[in-house]
Amino acid sequence: MLTLAIIKPDAVRAGLAGKILAHLEAAGFAVRAARLVKLSPAQAEAFYEVHRARPFYRSLVTFMTSGPALALALQRADAVAQLRKVIGATDPADAEPGTVRKLYAESKEQNAIHASDSAETAAREVAFFFPEAELRELGGSR
Ligand code: ATP
Ligand code: MG
């Protein structure tokens, strides 16, 4: 099964994309697609639409458009739940030791990485960045 990760602009800016990708691979995820993206405000707004009414929404959109981010379609068994475990809690202060956010994140907003939170959002979010039919076929077969 596939899930979507985004190595966020803070981590790319800090030169941590390679370390974080190595961490994900060591945790058993295979990279099925990768794209370095500079999100437009409209794209970031659409991607985080679910948070539109939250007080941090405008700031989140500004952050997510502040520089390049690395979108990844990742495959492994139970990918969605396993990736959420590997990245840790939203706020690095609350994240378990050894998680990506505990190791690499700066703050609750600038928290290094995104991961899809359900099978439904994973399908939608993978298609958001990687609409290619081939990828859907490959990802859907396991
Ligand atoms: P993501 O969706 O990016 O994987 P998440 O699922 O752990 O993160 P969400 O509640 O979906 O957390 O929030 C989306 C993102 O919005 C967070 O990752 C963080 O960048 C930002 N965010 C969430 N809560 C806050 C907050 N209280 N203050 C500032 N930024 C926040
Ligand atoms: Mg979320």
Side-chain angles (χ1 to χ4, degrees), residues 8 47-48 50-51 54 56 59-60 63-64 84 87-91 101 108-111 113-117 125:
K8 294 184 179 182
F47 188 81
Y48 278 118
V50 66
H51 295 310
R54 309 287 290 278
F56 57 81
S59 178
L60 175 61
F63 163 52
M64 289 301 292
R84 292 296 304 198
I87 73 172
T90 307
D91 188 336
R101 282 167 168 167
K108 187 167 189 179
E109 178 182 77
Q110 308 218 354
N111 60 0
I113 189 164
H114 162 83
S116 306
D117 62 7
E125 291 178 356

Side-chain angles (χ1 to χ4, degrees), residues 76-91:
R76 66 157 282 174
D78 195 23
V80 171
Q82 292 302 319
L83 186 61
R84 292 296 304 198
K85 206 184 232 177
V86 164
I87 73 172
T90 307
D91 188 336

Side-chain angles (χ1 to χ4, degrees), residues 19-96:
K19 277 188 183 157
I20 292 174
L21 181 52
H23 188 113
L24 301 177
E25 289 181 323
F29 294 89
V31 179
R32 301 305 300 267
R35 179 170 288 163
L36 194 72
V37 287
K38 172 90 161 58
L39 291 178
S40 69
Q43 285 174 314
E45 285 167 8
F47 188 81
Y48 278 118
E49 178 66 38
V50 66
H51 295 310
R52 187 173 285 274
R54 309 287 290 278
F56 57 81
Y57 180 70
R58 291 305 343 155
S59 178
L60 175 61
V61 168
T62 299
F63 163 52
M64 289 301 292
T65 57
S66 68
L70 185 61
L72 302 165
L74 299 175
Q75 184 171 29
R76 66 157 282 174
D78 195 23
V80 171
Q82 292 302 319
L83 186 61
R84 292 296 304 198
K85 206 184 232 177
V86 164
I87 73 172
T90 307
D91 188 336
D94 303 329
E96 294 291 322

